């Protein structure tokens, strides 16, 4: 079920008006799609952030525009002011609920790997999984239980269960998570005899040295 979000259509695109929108807590946005003319709108910044936080970045949003039009969209891109850490622009993409689309879904790990308890290192090379699905069938995240993984074990894309409403388009041989052996500690140098005098090979005694001088 799509999450509703109100939007106001923007007619005046002057920078001064756009600045006022941001000061009022709104985000200038554009709605576009394959068969749709771009529509310039604004949405409440707090409501948009709350929607993404609660529903995920692939959430289907029912955008209720004040011109009487309602469209199903996904948040495609957004820009953040690096100094103020505030949203300054957002792009929404109109989706067809009956057509499949390609998206990337976050991978969430749960449990503590058995190998980690033995000193192994849990590594996750893949944090997002590429899938193809209809908008209503896109999961918020894909959860993997790693509690049974021992040292040397891994989970590949090909290991994921088949019972699902989406198609995984990621390379089947890609490693999602693995438990590697603990790093070997470097051997400590032998300091017991570190201060001992080094052995000198073929060192002549004082008597032998004097005898040699007499011969010369």
């Amino acid at each position: 079920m799509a999450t509703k979000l109100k939007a106001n259509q923007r007619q005046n695109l002057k920078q001064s008006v756009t600045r006022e929108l941001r000061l009022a807590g709104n985000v200038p946005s554009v709605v576009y799609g394959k068969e749709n003319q771009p529509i310039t709108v604004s949405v409440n910044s707090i409501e948009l952030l709350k929607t993404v936080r609660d529903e995920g970045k692939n959430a289907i949003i029912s955008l209720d525009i004040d011109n009487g039009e309602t469209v199903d969209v996904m948040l495609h891109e957004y820009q953040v002011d690096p100094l103020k850490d505030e949203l300054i622009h957002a792009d929404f993409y109109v989706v067809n609920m009956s057509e499949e689309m390609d998206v990337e879904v976050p991978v969430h790990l749960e449990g503590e790997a058995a190998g980690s308890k033995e000193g192994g290192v849990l590594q996750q090379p893949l944090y997002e999984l590429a899938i193809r699905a209809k908008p209503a069938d896109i999961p918020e995240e894909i959860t993997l239980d790693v509690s049974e993984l021992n040292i040397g074990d891994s989970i590949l894309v090909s290991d994921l269960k088949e019972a699902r409403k989406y198609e995984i388009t990621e390379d089947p041989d890609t490693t999602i998570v693995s438990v590697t052996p603990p790093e070997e500690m470097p051997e400590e140098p032998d300091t017991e005899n570190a201060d001992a005098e080094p052995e000198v090979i073929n060192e002549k005694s004082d008597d032998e040295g004097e005898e040699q001088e007499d011969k010369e």
Side-chain angles (χ1 to χ4, degrees):
M1 182 177 179
T3 301
K4 292 185 178 181
L5 185 66
K6 292 183 178 181
N8 296 318
Q9 193 168 12
R10 291 190 297 140
Q11 301 291 351
N12 192 333
L13 305 181
K14 291 183 178 179
Q15 288 187 358
S16 58
V17 176
T18 301
R19 190 179 305 112
E20 290 178 1
L21 282 172
R22 294 192 179 108
L23 290 174
N26 298 306
V27 183
S29 310
V30 177
V31 180
Y32 66 96
K34 291 181 180 179
E35 301 176 358
N36 300 73
Q37 291 293 328
I39 304 174
T40 53
V41 299
S42 65
V43 297
N44 183 272
S45 176
I46 294 177
E47 291 298 323
L48 177 57
L49 288 173
K50 184 177 183 298
T51 298
V52 175
R53 183 183 67 245
D54 295 344
E55 306 296 333
K57 69 172 187 176
N58 293 321
I60 305 301
I61 301 173
S62 180
L63 205 60
D64 187 7
I65 307 176
D66 61 354
N67 64 356
E69 186 177 2
T70 300
V71 289
D72 291 324
V73 300
M74 290 179 64
L75 179 61
H76 181 62
E77 289 182 342
Y78 61 89
Q79 298 175 8
V80 178
D81 186 324
L83 297 179
K84 299 180 180 180
D85 194 28
E86 297 177 351
L87 284 175
I88 59 175
H89 186 81
D91 286 340
F92 295 98
Y93 183 78
V94 178
V95 297
N96 186 331
M97 300 299 288
S98 63
E99 291 183 359
E100 292 183 332
M101 59 187 305
D102 294 324
V103 296
E104 292 187 341
V105 178
V107 177
H108 173 70
L109 306 182
E110 67 176 11
E112 182 180 3
S116 297
K117 299 177 183 179
E118 300 175 357
V121 180
L122 184 72
Q123 296 186 339
Q124 184 181 357
L126 191 67
Y127 285 89
E128 291 188 323
L129 192 66
I131 71 167
R132 179 175 296 131
K134 291 181 179 180
D137 295 330
I138 297 174
E140 181 179 342
E141 63 183 16
I142 296 174
T143 302
L144 298 180
D145 184 1
V146 299
S147 57
E148 299 297 325
L149 292 182
N150 294 301
I151 294 177
D153 290 344
S154 61
I155 297 178
L156 307 181
V157 171
S158 58
D159 295 326
L160 299 185
K161 297 179 180 179
E162 293 293 335
R164 52 179 178 260
K165 295 182 179 180
Y166 54 86
E167 174 190 356
I168 296 177
T169 57
E170 201 80 48
D171 185 344
D173 295 328
T174 301
T175 299
I176 302 176
V177 60
S178 63
V179 180
T180 60
E183 296 183 0
E184 295 184 1
M185 297 296 293
E187 293 184 4
E188 295 184 1
D190 183 8
T191 58
E192 184 177 350
N193 298 318
D195 297 331
E197 290 288 340
E199 182 181 357
V200 180
I201 307 300
N202 293 330
E203 182 180 11
K204 295 180 179 181
S205 65
D206 293 339
D207 294 340
E208 290 177 337
E210 293 176 357
E211 182 178 349
Q212 182 67 24
E213 290 177 358
D214 292 340
K215 291 182 179 180
E216 292 177 353

